[in-house]
Amino acid sequence: MMTCVWLYVFFTILCHSGLCEVVQNFSDVPSCRRFFYQGQEPLGLSSSKTANICQRLQGVYYYATLYHRVARVPIYSAYILEQSTTSRPDISSSNWYLEPMLADIAREDMLPPSHSTMQPVLDAITESQAVNDDYRNSGQTRGHLNPSQHHSSESQISTFTYTNMAPQESNFNSGTWNQYESFLRDQILPACSQAHILTGVILSGSSPGEGKWLRNRVNVPTFFWSAFCCIETSGARRREGRLGRNASPYDVVNKTIPQLQDILSQEYGGKVVLFQGSCQ
């Protein structure tokens, strides 16, 4: 009993010292807060079913994710757009990273399922998040919200985690949505001294039985959305949004940030603000 108490105390100290990857507030971790425009996370998308993840690999924070524990997909990932310097890493999907702390296992870094410390706790981790078996032979691809092509070689690998994935139709993933991701990399990034990106989903249902699910565990979103705030080299701000349909005809529609916020507010039942400080 005393061992359990001391483990709880140790875990709590780690969390409050900013070493925990799953945090109560993104603002508690300065290295994680920086991924949001002016250090302020979106309003109106979190709930009692979501978890704040500061995506950390080998002691380094690379982006932030709001993860839906029931739908087992991220509601959004927030990151800073970088110049891609290498090709996509060759990592088997069976060894993509998992997040132990979603299962209350005191490991600060994401880890691959093959890691020795993961083997005894894989059942608990599988209960807490999506894993490779959910996607295998499902007809859905593992759709990055934060794509590897938006990062340098040091941070590309960190995007290959199932807490950064949502089921995505193949033609959408490799087609119109990929074209938008390339637009951000090739046309937006060169004009920006810094670009903050938010990419998220609209769920097809909040619990199994509502909407479309993989193996009754992982929600298949109806839409993917994205918003960017570009701080141009002149000091001006540019902000735009996109809404992409995760089904034929896979259209990706331009939206102003207010339009996108209105759509998300209707879907999530409260006022949504993507960029506090407005990025005007």
Side-chain angles (χ1 to χ4, degrees), residues 89-139:
D90 184 16
I91 305 174
S92 169
S93 57
S94 64
N95 213 34
W96 285 7
Y97 292 99
L98 301 173
E99 177 45 68
M101 296 200 73
L102 282 173
D104 296 327
I105 296 164
R107 290 280 175 175
E108 295 85 37
D109 289 335
M110 61 178 79
L111 292 170
S114 59
H115 194 279
S116 59
T117 61
M118 298 285 275
Q119 297 302 309
V121 293
L122 276 179
D123 286 347
I125 291 173
T126 298
E127 182 60 30
S128 69
Q129 67 157 101
V131 296
N132 183 49
D133 282 347
D134 292 315
Y135 287 84
R136 185 180 296 160
N137 300 322
S138 68

Side-chain angles (χ1 to χ4, degrees), residues 68 71-75 201-207 211 213 219-223 267-268:
H68 199 289
R72 295 187 176 90
V73 296
I75 295 299
V201 302
I202 294 177
L203 303 177
S204 62
S206 59
S207 60
W213 295 70
N219 186 260
V220 180
T222 53
F223 291 91
E267 292 291 338
Y268 286 101

Side-chain angles (χ1 to χ4, degrees), residues 17 20 66 70 78 80 110 134 145 178 185 187 198 253 269 279:
S17 64
C20 282
L66 182 69
V70 177
I80 297 172
M110 61 178 79
D134 292 315
L145 270 67
N178 181 65
R185 181 195 63 199
Q187 298 185 45
L198 291 167
V253 181
C279 183

Side-chain angles (χ1 to χ4, degrees), residues 23 36 47 52 56 65 103 187 207 264:
V23 297
F36 300 98
S47 72
N52 302 325
R56 173 174 153 157
T65 298
Q187 298 185 45
S207 60
L264 295 175

